[in-house]
Amino acid sequence: QVKLMESGGGSVQAGDSLRISCVVSGPTSDFGEMDWLRQSPGQDSVLIIRVYWDGREPYYADSVKGRFHISRDNAKNTVYLQMTDLKPEDTADYQCAVRPQESLGYDYLGQGTRVTVSS
């Protein structure tokens, strides 16, 4: 069974950097994409990054492009989201979610990790 677990959230100041992780346990052979979603207080969850499991270049939403960077450590089954130049508007719950190749939606979701950015 596949499980996703995020970690690394916390409280930082504007301009700081932070790295959060999504550790995958279980088989990944049918993964299509891993999405990073974030939900700011009082708002809907939005897609900020899409990681294509076949190695294509990730998609970054304009709101994070140039500041956030995705990397993978296949040996550790971990995807890292490196966030730099954080802004108060980046305050949100960050969640990784996986859509298997044959699925129309997310079959696997992490519990989320909170990032708070103070000005």
Side-chain angles (χ1 to χ4, degrees), residues 7 16 20 23 25 28 40 49 52 65 68 73 79 94-95 99 104-105 116 119:
S7 63
D16 284 352
I20 58 180
V23 179
S25 59
T28 64
S40 301
I49 299 172
Y52 296 97
K65 193 178 298 183
F68 289 12
D73 185 333
V79 176
Y94 287 75
Q95 184 181 35
R99 184 191 71 80
L104 297 178
T116 301
S119 57

Side-chain angles (χ1 to χ4, degrees), residues 9-13 18 86-88 90-92 94 114-118:
S11 296
V12 297
Q13 297 292 315
L18 193 67
L86 282 161
K87 307 175 186 300
D90 295 318
T91 295
Y94 287 75
R114 178 158 294 178
V115 174
T116 301
V117 185
S118 302

Side-chain angles (χ1 to χ4, degrees), residues 10 13 27 30 32 38 44 47 71-72 80 84 100 103 105 109-110 119:
Q13 297 292 315
D30 69 339
R38 73 179 182 186
D44 293 333
L47 169 69
S71 62
R72 288 168 60 175
Y80 299 102
T84 63
S103 179
L109 295 100
S119 57

Side-chain angles (χ1 to χ4, degrees), residues 5-10 12 18-22 35-41 45-49 63-64 67-68 70 81-97 109-117:
M5 180 167 290
E6 303 91 342
S7 63
V12 297
L18 193 67
R19 190 180 75 168
I20 58 180
S21 306
C22 178
D35 286 349
W36 282 88
L37 311 169
R38 73 179 182 186
Q39 185 171 22
S40 301
S45 183
V46 296
L47 169 69
I48 57 169
I49 299 172
S63 58
V64 304
R67 299 188 299 121
F68 289 12
I70 279 289
L81 172 53
Q82 178 69 49
M83 304 181 289
T84 63
D85 190 23
L86 282 161
K87 307 175 186 300
E89 52 264 40
D90 295 318
T91 295
D93 290 326
Y94 287 75
Q95 184 181 35
C96 55
L109 295 100
Q111 84 288 352
T113 187
R114 178 158 294 178
V115 174
T116 301
V117 185

Side-chain angles (χ1 to χ4, degrees), residues 2 30 97-100 102-109:
V2 173
D30 69 339
V98 167
R99 184 191 71 80
E102 301 302 320
S103 179
L104 297 178
Y106 299 128
D107 283 7
Y108 314 116
L109 295 100

